[in-house]
Amino acid sequence: MSKATGAIQQEGSKAHFSILIAIIIVAGLSQGLLLPVLSIFIEQMGVSSSMNGLNAAVMYVGSFAMTLVAERILGAVGFKKLIVSGLIVVMIPLMLFPLIPDLRLWFVLRLLVGIGDSALHYATQLWVLLVTPAGSRGRNISIYGMSYGIGFSIGPLGIKLLGYGQVVPFAILFFIMLIVLLFALKLPDTRPEKLEHEASNTGRYRKSFMFAWYALIPAFLYGYMESGMNSNFPIYGLRIGFSESDISTLLPFVGIGGLLLQLPLGALSDRYGRKQILMISGILGGLLFMLIPSVGTEFWPTLLLLTVAGGLVGSFFSLGLAYAADILPKSLLPAANVVGSFQFNIGSILGPNLGGIMLGLGVPGAMFWLLGSCYLLFGIAGVLFKRDKTMT
């Protein structure tokens, strides 16, 4: 049993788990708020959609950079210090975004937010995976995914707060994160033993992907969908005729759908197998995303499609990690977690950029056709993946 496992299971384990959940909620909240609000700011500045997408992607460049060193840093400083540092790094830029509307500065600030968010994701998701029994892994990791989804879904509602002043949504987010930071200081100061002994073994990354590629690609698709939708959907909506109020109402339903189906899909994956659930969800979710442009500015059909499509693929990150934990030995799990974060960040960088390119071509609906096609191809590719049973 790792030191992290022992510490969590000792005094205050339920309280510690609750703090981890609160941390991932505010991590989702920060991304869910910053992406659409800043995209609207930049669109109103008259900046091109491709540059808007590039600015949004910078956050995930920071996240990607952090992923490259996250395992080593966690092994050196432990869970608590990495989480606390991540929260502080995200909080610092919040009040500067509305006060200094300079696109060049925003590149730097978004880079910092990406670094901090990546630290929070890596530390919390690995901690949860290390202490979760195999028999309840689908359910517990779904709770983790739901928590992120709660924050991510609430975030776009910050658009409605802009009517009270551009500083207001950022100030509220700052104070929420400050409260969570105070609770994070109560976490035990632990680190996983495996990272201490094997941090230099870079071959584990390649090995974990080789044996669990189908379980790790969902992280890429989730990152692509999440960042692309939050960055590009506000622009898509404005250009086809939705109001800002419509957009701020519609966008959270991608995350709300994930919340509604997170636990059911997790439970189904425990019973029928995670690969089967990932394949079915990918195919159905992809088809529904491709249908969204066909309903135009019809509010309720758009809301329904976003909710169901988002619900089907909203579990991809958490289910993919749970599937990796099923098929890999525990010694490779930290490495697989790094690879999953790596995949998530690559997808998150591509999402706003590819969507911005599609919007720049004057075919807004193409962003949904491309997104849906990716999920559809993933679902079909499941027939090619065979689990190596010698790995567990």
Side-chain angles (χ1 to χ4, degrees), residues 85-145:
S85 299
L87 285 167
I88 293 172
V89 171
V90 173
M91 291 168 64
I92 289 171
L94 288 178
M95 299 309 296
L96 297 177
F97 279 116
L99 296 178
I100 310 176
D102 185 318
L103 203 60
R104 292 168 297 180
L105 177 63
W106 286 5
F107 273 96
V108 178
L109 296 179
R110 282 184 135 167
L111 193 73
L112 289 175
V113 171
I115 291 171
D117 267 334
S118 181
L120 295 176
H121 277 287
Y122 182 76
T124 54
Q125 72 196 20
L126 179 57
W127 204 342
V128 170
L129 283 172
L130 285 174
V131 301
T132 300
S136 58
R137 188 170 287 136
R139 178 181 60 83
N140 285 3
I141 200 66
S142 293
I143 293 173
Y144 173 92

Side-chain angles (χ1 to χ4, degrees), residues 4 9 29 41 59 105 132 149 171 178 194 225 236 252 266 286 300 375:
Q9 290 177 343
L29 184 60
F41 283 179
M59 181 167 71
L105 177 63
T132 300
L178 179 60
K194 289 295 181 182
M225 183 275 293
Y236 166 85
W300 291 108
Y375 278 105

Side-chain angles (χ1 to χ4, degrees), residues 21-64:
I21 293 303
I23 291 165
I24 203 59
I25 288 174
V26 297
L29 184 60
S30 69
Q31 292 190 34
L33 185 146
L34 289 176
L35 285 170
V37 169
L38 293 179
S39 289
I40 288 175
F41 283 179
I42 296 172
E43 174 76 359
Q44 291 172 343
M45 292 176 185
V47 178
S48 68
S49 59
S50 58
M51 182 58 69
N52 199 327
L54 180 62
N55 190 268
V58 168
M59 181 167 71
Y60 296 100
V61 173
S63 185
F64 176 81

Side-chain angles (χ1 to χ4, degrees), residues 8 16 21 71 85 107 123 133 139 157 167 174 188 192 204 218 243 246 248 254 321 338 348 372 390:
I8 275 281
H16 297 155
I21 293 303
E71 184 179 11
S85 299
F107 273 96
R139 178 181 60 83
L157 296 177
V167 177
F174 178 89
R204 290 177 302 119
S243 67
D246 288 337
S248 67
V254 179
L321 286 178
V338 170
S348 298
T390 65

Side-chain angles (χ1 to χ4, degrees), residues 241-255:
F242 280 124
S243 67
E244 286 185 12
S245 178
D246 288 337
I247 293 167
S248 67
T249 302
L250 287 169
L251 189 52
F253 277 89
V254 179

Side-chain angles (χ1 to χ4, degrees), residues 1-16:
M1 180 180 294
S2 69
K3 293 179 183 178
T5 304
I8 275 281
Q9 290 177 343
Q10 290 171 4
E11 180 182 352
S13 60
K14 290 184 179 180
H16 297 155

